[in-house]
Amino acid sequence: MFKKNKNKNKEIKKRSRQLALFTIPGFIWLIVFCYLPMFGLALAFKDYKNFDGNFFTSLFKSDWTLKNFQVLFRVNNLGMIIRNTLGYNIVFIILNIVIPLIVAIMLHELLNRRSAKVYQTVTFLPYFLSWIVISYSVYAFLSYDGGLFNQIRSWMGLKPINWYRTPGVWPYIFVFLNTWKSLGYNTIIYLAALAGIDRSLYEAASIDGASKLQQAWNITIPLLRPVIVITFVLALGGIFRSDFGLFFHVPNSGGPGGTLREVAEVIDTYTYRLLMVSQNLKQSAAIGFVQSVIGFILISTANFIVKKYDPDRALY
């Protein structure tokens, strides 16, 4: 008996080492791209000046200061930028939970598994597309001179529309593109959770006369609640961040970005312009630091609330 337990422990240790080896690439990636760049946070608290052309030497020689955070109160149209950032992200969070959930339930209920895999692949492909590629595709549809939409309008005897000078339509374009691009990835998360639900629950509900809609509402969604809560909490941490490629590349793909800035300017695009146009490293770092702090506070607060009312659904 003792020998059997000893062999079992050896097997467990062996499997643990094998699993640990698989985590090494991800751990290295995390160190290189997440932890090492955190050294740059010091810029947010430094009156950075280039003394001798060496970044690290100049960083250590520069004086400590909190003045960099004053940029947050001196931003022109600060209300518009925060409104855009929060407004878009709130809509994105809601749609990226509701729509993928509905699509996942529909795919899960398909009897033809081959068709389900085809539909799943089709929805997942946009996730791998770069925003650069998408921006040129959008331009092919919306170009004033040769865009597909304006060609259709000309065939119908209507005047072409300069979409890149029409700010009112772009909030809908941003929402559509974000939902379309992330639909496949978010759907897979729910499909993975759906695979773990006991099919006997649906069989019992079907015997009791429950329709597919009633089964989804009373069985599927309640059992997916942990995944929905975790997805919401994690998304809440990025509510003050935006998809830079969506708001910078897509509206500027073929038209003057200034005309769309009212609906396309978010915190991330403003920080980029502050960095590239003004070459202001320290204030850009300060804005990024504030975004991270707010995200951490939001995740911690949301997780605290979840843990208080439903500890099993909390992240930690």
Side-chain angles (χ1 to χ4, degrees), residues 127-271:
Y127 179 76
F128 297 101
L129 295 178
S130 165
W131 281 118
I132 301 294
V133 175
I134 294 175
S135 68
Y136 279 104
S137 301
V138 172
Y139 183 62
F141 281 95
L142 302 183
S143 172
Y144 181 77
D145 297 323
L148 179 61
F149 288 166
N150 280 334
Q151 287 185 12
I152 294 174
R153 289 180 62 85
S154 65
W155 294 337
M156 297 172 63
L158 302 174
K159 293 183 179 180
I161 298 175
N162 193 338
W163 301 99
Y164 289 93
R165 292 184 179 273
T166 310
V169 302
W170 280 91
Y172 303 99
I173 294 174
F174 289 142
V175 170
F176 170 78
L177 290 176
N178 179 272
T179 306
W180 167 72
K181 192 174 188 297
S182 59
L183 175 63
Y185 179 83
N186 294 326
T187 300
I188 283 181
I189 295 175
Y190 293 114
L191 281 173
L194 283 167
I197 297 178
D198 189 356
R199 297 298 303 179
S200 62
L201 296 174
Y202 296 103
E203 294 171 2
S206 180
I207 293 173
D208 291 338
S211 65
K212 290 294 183 181
L213 183 60
Q214 291 173 327
Q215 292 175 30
W217 183 257
N218 295 290
I219 298 175
T220 305
I221 294 178
L223 291 177
L224 289 181
R225 192 175 300 162
V227 180
I228 296 173
V229 171
I230 291 173
T231 303
F232 173 75
V233 172
L234 292 176
L236 194 63
I239 200 169
F240 268 86
R241 296 187 179 276
S242 303
D243 195 327
F244 176 80
L246 171 62
F247 292 102
F248 185 80
H249 292 298
V250 175
N252 285 277
S253 56
T259 56
L260 301 177
R261 189 164 295 180
E262 180 183 350
V263 294
E265 187 80 310
V266 291
I267 294 177
D268 293 80
T269 56
Y270 172 79
T271 305

Side-chain angles (χ1 to χ4, degrees), residues 110-121:
L110 280 178
L111 297 178
N112 190 329
R113 303 317 300 169
R114 181 174 295 180
S115 298
K117 290 180 180 179
V118 171
Y119 298 146
Q120 183 178 337
T121 302

Side-chain angles (χ1 to χ4, degrees), residues 26-182:
F27 183 73
I28 293 174
W29 182 91
L30 198 65
I31 293 294
V32 173
F33 293 101
C34 295
Y35 286 99
L36 289 180
M38 289 180 68
F39 176 79
L41 288 176
L43 273 171
F45 302 92
K46 287 277 191 173
D47 186 14
Y48 180 77
K49 294 176 182 176
N50 194 343
F51 290 97
D52 54 4
N54 186 291
F55 172 77
F56 294 101
T57 303
S58 301
L59 182 64
F60 284 114
K61 287 183 178 180
S62 300
D63 297 328
W64 293 95
T65 183
L66 293 175
K67 292 181 179 180
N68 297 327
F69 295 94
Q70 294 178 357
V71 67
L72 297 170
F73 305 100
R74 297 176 180 174
V75 176
N76 293 328
N77 300 319
L78 177 62
M80 177 197 71
I81 295 173
I82 294 179
R83 179 202 67 194
N84 289 343
T85 304
L86 290 178
Y88 284 125
N89 281 327
I90 290 172
V91 175
F92 292 164
I93 289 173
I94 295 173
L95 293 182
N96 287 332
I97 290 176
V98 174
I99 295 180
L101 178 61
I102 295 173
V103 173
I105 294 174
M106 293 170 63
L107 291 176
H108 188 67
E109 292 296 329
L110 280 178
L111 297 178
N112 190 329
R113 303 317 300 169
R114 181 174 295 180
S115 298
K117 290 180 180 179
V118 171
Y119 298 146
Q120 183 178 337
T121 302
V122 170
T123 58
F124 195 45
L125 283 177
Y127 179 76
F128 297 101
L129 295 178
S130 165
W131 281 118
I132 301 294
V133 175
I134 294 175
S135 68
Y136 279 104
S137 301
V138 172
Y139 183 62
F141 281 95
L142 302 183
S143 172
Y144 181 77
D145 297 323
L148 179 61
F149 288 166
N150 280 334
Q151 287 185 12
I152 294 174
R153 289 180 62 85
S154 65
W155 294 337
M156 297 172 63
L158 302 174
K159 293 183 179 180
I161 298 175
N162 193 338
W163 301 99
Y164 289 93
R165 292 184 179 273
T166 310
V169 302
W170 280 91
Y172 303 99
I173 294 174
F174 289 142
V175 170
F176 170 78
L177 290 176
N178 179 272
T179 306
W180 167 72
K181 192 174 188 297
S182 59

